[in-house]
Amino acid sequence: MNTDQMDRPAMTADQLADVKQKIVQTYLYLVSRTGYDPRVIEIMKLSALADVQRRFEAKEPW
């Protein structure tokens, strides 16, 4: 049995835009529906966006 990771293609620009949109929607939901500090949520959002952008630029499989 081959347990190596499957070769998956790198993320496309369209996929990147879709993932970024979903990240923003998720964090907007957190801001509007929870009692968490919005500044903390904004930091989490920016971190997630930066990570997905870094993975896209590094052509990591998605």
Side-chain angles (χ1 to χ4, degrees):
M1 177 181 211
N2 187 0
T3 58
D4 294 334
Q5 261 190 340
M6 295 174 45
D7 289 331
R8 293 177 286 162
M11 183 187 316
T12 65
D14 290 337
Q15 288 172 320
L16 175 65
D18 186 47
V19 169
K20 284 183 174 183
Q21 180 183 20
K22 288 179 182 178
I23 288 171
V24 170
Q25 288 175 344
T26 301
Y27 287 98
L28 285 174
Y29 175 83
L30 287 173
V31 167
S32 67
R33 301 275 200 273
T34 65
Y36 296 124
D37 185 352
R39 293 175 292 181
V40 173
I41 294 172
E42 182 68 16
I43 291 170
M44 292 168 37
K45 178 186 82 172
L46 293 175
S47 175
L49 289 171
D51 184 55
V52 77
Q53 183 69 38
R54 179 194 56 80
R55 292 180 68 181
F56 173 74
E57 291 172 359
K59 296 184 177 21
E60 289 185 21
W62 190 253

